[in-house]
């Protein structure tokens, strides 16, 4: 599959480490989560991101050691507080009570 590669994501490393530490083969884990060994390899290599239902099964089978959030390579957007650096008081419009 050509296209976007997710790279060595935290989840891929965590999943590989979890399977290694618990001596679980790729074949056995793939069967537990209902995917092919090839699909599991793609998740572990970062070539593909699992669908949501598979992410949930991974979390369940790893007792929460690998979570769906681990597979998200984008951090949540940071929304700056518009008044954080502005220490001047702002008057409220007439008729508005605070």
């Amino acid at each position: 599959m050509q296209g976007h590669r997710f790279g060595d994501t935290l989840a891929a490393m965590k999943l590989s480490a979890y399977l290694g530490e618990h001596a679980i083969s790729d074949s056995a884990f793939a069967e537990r989560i209902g995917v092919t060994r090839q699909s599991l390899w793609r998740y572990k290599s970062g070539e593909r991101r699992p669908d949501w239902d598979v992410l949930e099964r991974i979390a369940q089978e790893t007792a929460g050691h690998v979570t769906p959030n681990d597979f998200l390579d984008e951090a949540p957007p940071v929304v700056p507080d518009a008044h954080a650096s502005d220490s001047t008081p702002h008057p409220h419009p007439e008729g508005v009570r605070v």
Side-chain angles (χ1 to χ4, degrees):
M1 173 176 124
Q2 295 293 337
H4 181 69
R5 183 175 173 84
F6 294 100
D8 295 327
T9 64
L10 174 63
M13 292 183 286
K14 284 181 76 172
L15 183 55
S16 292
Y18 178 86
L19 296 177
E21 289 169 9
H22 292 85
I24 303 170
S25 72
D26 285 357
S27 296
F29 192 74
E31 186 175 325
R32 286 184 192 178
I33 63 171
V35 299
T36 65
R37 193 173 47 118
Q38 181 70 15
S39 290
L40 180 61
W41 179 85
R42 287 180 175 152
Y43 306 151
K44 288 174 54 179
S45 70
E47 185 176 313
R48 184 170 175 201
R49 184 180 295 155
D51 292 332
W52 185 253
D53 60 324
V54 176
L55 290 172
E56 289 177 328
R57 290 193 300 266
I58 290 171
Q60 183 177 15
E61 287 296 326
T62 62
H65 286 90
V66 181
T67 69
N69 287 340
D70 296 328
F71 282 90
L72 303 176
D73 57 353
E74 294 181 18
V78 176
V79 180
D81 182 359
H83 303 289
S85 62
D86 185 5
S87 60
T88 21
H90 295 279
H92 296 285
E94 283 187 44
V96 176
R97 301 184 116 173
V98 270

